[in-house]
């Protein structure tokens, strides 16, 4: 049995709280069970130097984890003087995922930076980050529309992500920490709301995985992402 | 008039939420009005190398600010590769303040690290950090007592802090951001619950201040800290 | 048509030169067309600190690119003072891929570090690195067997990798640089010699990709990797 | 008794040597007993980027300690690759203190940087630095007046600093190292020549301090600073 | 006897391979016996900021060593976060040597950067680097002439370098690693093709050396460099 | 004519002040004309890790320059976060020079670190550093002898250094800044007191130099170093 009696295909309870902090143009606390990530989208009215004068915008992301988001305290990256490889990998993934659903040309020369800071980590922080960041970014673009700085929201749809994996020979959706650390295969899938893929990253932690197992995981991911997109839409409808 | 019609000597509404996150031995969200700081106390059963074998413990602190805790986005210190001077100054102040109320001998060779991460900043983040960290540390010590690792809580009492300043020629207690940035003199005071001083740090931002002004500020600080200690005790009594 | 008249499923000419340098326990120059990577496997008779005393070994990897491996000069990472996010991502991928085919318990407390340094880059440097590193690591283990330090080679089989992608609406295997930079979807696949998957990392650079496209890419990858494994075996048979 | 039979309120012998080095626009070696700090003021005819075009100037400071200024050798900060928290705190304090006595508008777009490098440390290096830097800065401004680049010296008066503390239950002025390390309370006070306060920073190293003790310390500081200002004026009168 | 029966004055077999990689404007693999260095010259059509607008060019160099160029693995400088003192010393030497034979005025506002990356190290990597870099730079300038960006090659002649030393009381030319590590005195000499000196750097590793020994070493260096210049000319004549 | 009417072979006035600071086991202010370097030798009763247990000692050196030792202010290396290539080159040279005159076996497992900090720079800071450091090191060893920690001073003799160069077609000894920046050839020579060479480093800044010019420079260096050794001996005789 899974923890909390979850079914194989069942995502954890999802909670998306908008306007969580006061200053960011989009501010979302996203919770996937006990995983809690604060996603703050900030707007700047200029672009990175290499993009200046090209008439298009940019979306980027940064990722961090509070030192005690984890079971035992993790060293603060600001204190150690650099961001680790895992952090860089994750923030590059979040940024690519967000850009995949934005019409950068339609943004004009503006930049959105989404900071995803993990308050509490129980597995799936990168997928929760992407899913929450999509909502925060939507709010930031709506702010720009309301302010008259954009004619319309340049997002082509939502983007959401989920982790899937093989634990105890069973394919499961939205792994929490105890599952994740016991998984033979761990895969993160990022999709658009219409079910097309933006990223898949699958890793055999133990035994290599077969084509059939991959098919099972993809099916679970598709279902899970549909549930997350539902939660995103509900949050934005409030 | 002060913002929100506060009186000269009135601190902002204080809210202290214990057990805010799941893993830290002490986890407190402290709110001084719109300033919100997450204070997580972590216990380690060893001490820094330079203290090994001396039979006494250590308390330290780290301070950080989420990039969008502020009105406009601040660069992430982990990304810039070092902690700034302001961060270092604040975390050294928090750590000294906490150690001043702990009997380090009675701790044995254990270490408590309190991470103060600012979720939202509206002035007074260092004083809110100290005041919240005291409660988080108290919970961490109580945890050690419950686990049988300490005979009794080695804290000698509470420590709390408040900022006071001279704004528009008026001495005021617990400045919020708009007041802080307009203040001629800004002072942070850290006291024990019995009203003795642990730290005072006063700075003339504009005109130098006189002995009389200092006396006024100290009186306000004493009153404000008494109110904060009351809130700390109420939170721990829950 | 593809550059050099390659067919959709055709990998570039593969050349694997063993003993390329004199000192490394395994030293391989791998060429996938114009992409040239020097893979040097170094043996150390101890393990990282966190693994000491556990009776098992470790395999790790580092990746670098000579400044003028690329069309225009890239800044030297040693001079800029840190490894970029892309470098870290790649070297973590290489290391995971190699570990997936090694029985770490059977290694005893030894460590193999494979340095993959790109001499010339024409797309697919990470997949060439993995494919060459597998051969260099095999030589390093054989060296340890010959020296009497291991009873038998602890590799469970070869590991190889290839990039596949969708270019001009066509799925293609082993993209070279001009294809890679024009691809809508780019995917790196790492497999064992028996065709099971160790890693898949697919990214939509332009339009999101469908399930069918993913299936096409996986089929190409499987075929390409079989060809690479053939070249690895031939090289080791010399 | 205090070391060297000093009385409670007595500062150490103060020696201020102007034109100590040849190139700086203001160059002062300040000695408070065995504490020796070289204060070099450098003029630049531009301002930091964030101040450009605002028609006002800036004063900043840097602080360093030669590795063997201390009883046992301290690691060189340039070799360790960063300035420690203590260094940053001190140089920020020096800079704020200096700016408090300068009319930045009257400076025009110029910058003065005062480097305070401790040659020998016997307690009170930050207060000696401030006191010496004030004289070096005065010389630098006089240089600018002589060169015709400023109409008049934009300093509003002298700034001086002293440390006071409670040692063996006695309030004392201008602590030297053996006193400082035995002090229960340690306070640095920065004042203008007319006795108004620019900074006070008091820390309870042992027991918290009472209001009465604070009053005693402030009285000592006022007296000590008056003596230092006398020495500054005498030095500039030479 | 020397290793490989070399005579006292004999340099190792020299091999200079031009166009070793595909993209650099000049690309040379230089081999002095088992020492192999890849020298890639890159052209940029601008100059460092401090040289802008002065109508002259610049030549610079960077030096690196692959981690397993050496008998045991050396830590990667990009991973340790900085270039060591030895690396900096060598790349400054290479750059100065190259600039000594270039008419920087005649270059116009262009920059040539030569990357010298050691593939395999058996002593004399800095002298091989200089000798190979001279050929790579010559090719880069010829490229600029062919492209019509320079009227003529601004090199005033070749520059070459050799190490000489005293081993077992015998002066020897072009030391290989086993000789170098046993040498009492080690000297690197950089000369123009007409035998004038650009740099000499001699170090007593053991006993100080006499004037007579220095004379012997200089005579050997002159002869060795003549041989290297012959090889450079032969390579460029192909 | 040379500045200050110096003759071609004449070194600047040399002043060596021992016991310049209070805590270092050897503390020397060395002045070569307007170049002033503080050389502090510190003793530690252990050796670097790689030397532990071998029964021999180590001598090392660090070099720094105060920001305003130069005509215009130089950026503080501690603030920029790393030591530059020039600094590293110089401190490696100083350390090698000092080790050349010490019997490391006779030191036992002790370490001497000499910090050379330039207070004022007018050319020749590295040669002044070496010459002053030799005296500071001698004092540190004498201290160890007096403390009964060494039987006798392990120095084999003095080491001294001077810069020589070709300025206006004239060979000159002990260049000051205006000469150094106009020199065609610049050479630093380090010798033992008996006139044998430890290091020579000659660089053609403009035209390459001939064998004859080198001979002239070496003769001047020998004479200059004899004068410096005389000053060292006189200082130690006081």
């Amino acid at each position: 049995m899974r923890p909390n009696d979850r079914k194989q295909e069942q995502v954890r309870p999802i909670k998306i709280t908008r306007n969580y902090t006061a200053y960011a143009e989009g501010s979302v606390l996203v919770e996937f069970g006990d995983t809690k990530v604060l996603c703050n989208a900030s707007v700047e009215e200029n672009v990175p130097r290499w993009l200046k004068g090209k008439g298009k915008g940019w979306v980027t992301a940064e990722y961090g984890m509070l030192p005690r988001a984890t079971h035992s305290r993790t060293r603060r990256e600001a204190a150690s003087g650099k961001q680790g490889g895992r952090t860089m990998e994750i923030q590059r993934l979040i940024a690519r995922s967000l850009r995949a659903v934005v019409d950068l040309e339609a943004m004009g020369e503006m930049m959105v930076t989404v900071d995803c800071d993990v308050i509490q980590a129980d597995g799936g922080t990168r997928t929760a980050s992407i899913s929450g960041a999509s909502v925060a970014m939507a709010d930031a673009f709506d702010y720009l529309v309301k302010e008259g700085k954009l004619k319309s929201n340049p997002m082509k749809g939502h983007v959401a992500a989920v982790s899937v994996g093989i634990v105890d020979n069973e394919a499961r959706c939205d792994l929490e920490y105890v599952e994740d650390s016991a998984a033979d295969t761990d895969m993160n899938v990022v999709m658009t709301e219409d079910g097309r893929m933006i990223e898949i990253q699958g890793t055999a932690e133990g035994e290599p995985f077969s084509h059939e197992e991959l098919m099972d995981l993809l099916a679970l991911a598709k279902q899970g992402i549909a549930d997350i997109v539902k939660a995103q839409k509900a949050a934005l409808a409030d």
Side-chain angles (χ1 to χ4, degrees), chain A:
Chain A
M1 281 298 291
R2 300 185 71 178
N4 300 312
D5 294 333
R6 270 204 283 154
K7 292 192 208 124
Q8 195 181 350
E9 73 280 6
Q10 199 180 348
V11 297
R12 289 174 284 180
I14 295 167
K15 194 167 156 197
I16 294 175
T17 309
R18 289 164 64 207
N19 304 317
Y20 188 75
T21 63
Y23 312 126
E25 284 76 26
S27 177
V28 162
L29 181 77
V30 62
E31 302 174 56
F32 277 31
D34 282 340
T35 289
K36 304 183 184 188
V37 185
L38 175 51
C39 305
N40 278 337
S42 298
V43 169
E44 265 179 283
E45 295 191 37
N46 58 50
V47 287
R49 185 191 302 225
W50 54 267
L51 204 60
K52 278 199 203 305
K54 304 207 171 151
K56 54 186 279 199
W58 193 243
V59 174
T60 189
E62 292 193 5
Y63 172 91
M65 206 184 256
L66 295 191
R68 199 53 197 279
T70 45
H71 282 80
S72 61
R73 189 175 181 270
T74 311
R75 192 166 178 212
R76 187 179 290 267
E77 288 185 322
S80 67
K82 65 173 181 175
Q83 294 179 302
R86 181 183 169 277
T87 293
M88 292 220 204
E89 229 174 274
I90 293 176
Q91 66 192 14
R92 285 158 56 92
L93 171 65
I94 299 170
R96 281 198 309 270
S97 299
L98 295 175
R99 283 195 296 270
V101 293
V102 174
D103 180 349
L104 299 173
E105 313 282 342
M107 276 180 76
E109 297 216 351
M110 296 221 220
M111 184 157 82
V112 172
T113 301
V114 187
D115 287 287
C116 299
D117 284 276
V118 180
I119 304 293
Q120 193 171 284
D122 188 31
T125 64
R126 80 189 71 188
T127 51
S129 293
I130 292 167
S131 304
S134 183
V135 178
M137 181 170 70
D139 274 340
F141 282 128
D142 282 343
Y143 162 87
L144 286 168
V145 171
K146 262 173 228 142
E147 292 288 304
K149 296 194 171 148
L150 283 180
K151 294 223 167 123
S152 61
N153 189 319
M155 282 177 69
K156 304 179 225 165
H158 291 290
V159 53
V162 79
S163 78
V164 289
I166 296 172
V167 187
D168 294 339
N169 295 312
E170 183 187 67
R172 294 183 183 173
C173 189
D174 189 23
L175 306 187
E176 56 199 76
Y177 178 72
V178 290
E179 295 177 314
D180 189 64
S181 52
D184 270 317
T185 291
D186 177 24
M187 189 159 83
N188 293 295
V189 181
V190 184
M191 284 185 178
T192 55
E193 60 173 286
D194 62 3
R196 285 179 302 151
M197 280 168 271
I198 290 173
E199 289 263 350
I200 53 169
Q201 297 190 337
T203 300
E205 303 286 351
E207 276 299 290
F209 53 99
S210 66
H211 190 81
E212 292 66 40
E213 288 172 318
L214 176 59
M215 294 303 101
D216 290 351
L217 292 173
L218 286 170
L220 283 180
K222 187 162 193 170
Q223 175 56 41
I225 283 172
D227 291 341
I228 296 165
V229 170
K230 215 171 295 171
Q232 290 174 322
K233 291 189 170 175
L236 283 164
D238 279 351

